[in-house]
């Protein structure tokens, strides 16, 4: 994967800080009875411009994944879709195929995730694809903006959040 452009690259300490915020979103969602997935969107200046957690059950909206909620929040705050391209998304779990596609369409340059999809009980990947596979494919396309992926950051904490949730 390529590294982000000017103002996009975060350092290791800031990555951990923002991932902790995404995990707090996941925990807040779980406390509300939502599946424990959370995300934050951070601009190139290191400011949180969007946040959210899974709201599928509450909103009766199958697209209300944590990443989607955070992106909608960021778009409202930033005012234009184009400004999302400078952002990094921190998410408590590797984005599903739907979220991965949306991230590429907004041309986000960087995604950092904690847990792997395979850490989620009853995980069933669509087309055997995950964000890393999507990012690799996107990177080989001449007319798509490449996306940098960093995985497994604070994974143990994320897995603990997943295990604490009643999936029944």
């Amino acid at each position: 994967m390529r590294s982000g452009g000017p103002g996009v690259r975060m350092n290791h300490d800031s990555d951990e800080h923002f991932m902790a915020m995404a995990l707090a979103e996941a925990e807040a969602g779980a406390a509300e009875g939502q599946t424990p997935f959370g995300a934050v969107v951070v601009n190139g200046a290191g400011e949180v411009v969007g946040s959210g957690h899974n709201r599928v059950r509450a909103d009766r909206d199958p697209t209300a994944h944590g990443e989607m909620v955070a992106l909608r929040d960021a778009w409202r705050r930033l005012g234009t879709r184009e400004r999302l391209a400078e952002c990094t998304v921190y998410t408590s779990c590797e984005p599903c195929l739907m979220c991965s596609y949306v991230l590429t369409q907004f041309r986000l340059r960087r995604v950092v995730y904690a847990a792997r999809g395979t850490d989620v009980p009853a995980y069933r990947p669509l087309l055997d694809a995950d964000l890393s596979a999507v990012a690799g494919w996107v990177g080989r396309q001449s007319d798509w903006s490449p996306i940098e992926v960093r995985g497994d950051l604070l994974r143990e904490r994320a897995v603990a959040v997943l295990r604490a949730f009643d999936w029944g």
Side-chain angles (χ1 to χ4, degrees), residues 18 23 27 51 63 76 86 97 107-108 115 129 139 168:
F18 294 123
L23 290 166
E27 292 166 337
S51 62
T63 69
R76 277 191 292 273
E86 73 178 39
L97 192 55
R107 294 192 165 99
L108 281 110

Side-chain angles (χ1 to χ4, degrees), residues 42-129:
V42 178
N43 69 12
E47 303 164 327
V48 174
V49 294
S51 62
H53 56 265
N54 188 292
R55 296 198 44 83
V56 170
R57 296 173 181 178
D59 294 352
R60 294 181 176 89
D61 177 357
T63 69
H65 293 194
E67 298 93 341
M68 299 292 96
V69 173
L71 283 171
R72 288 174 184 138
D73 184 34
W75 192 352
R76 277 191 292 273
R77 290 183 193 194
L78 294 172
T80 67
R81 167 189 173 135
E82 292 74 23
R83 292 182 65 196
L84 286 170
E86 73 178 39
C87 296
T88 296
V89 173
Y90 293 86
T91 180
S92 64
C93 188
E94 183 175 21
C96 70
L97 192 55
M98 174 189 73
C99 293
S100 295
Y101 180 76
V102 170
L103 293 167
T104 65
Q105 294 304 295
F106 280 103
R107 294 192 165 99
L108 281 110
R109 293 188 182 116
R110 188 163 187 258
V111 176
V112 181
Y113 67 86
R116 298 175 187 172
T118 54
D119 293 326
V120 178
Y123 172 71
R124 291 178 30 200
L126 182 61
L127 303 175
D128 288 326

Side-chain angles (χ1 to χ4, degrees), residues 12-22 40 46 48 90 153-154:
H12 185 72
D13 291 338
S14 61
D15 278 353
E16 287 191 6
H17 171 74
F18 294 123
M19 182 56 72
M21 294 176 75
V40 296
V48 174
Y90 293 86
L153 180 64
L154 303 183

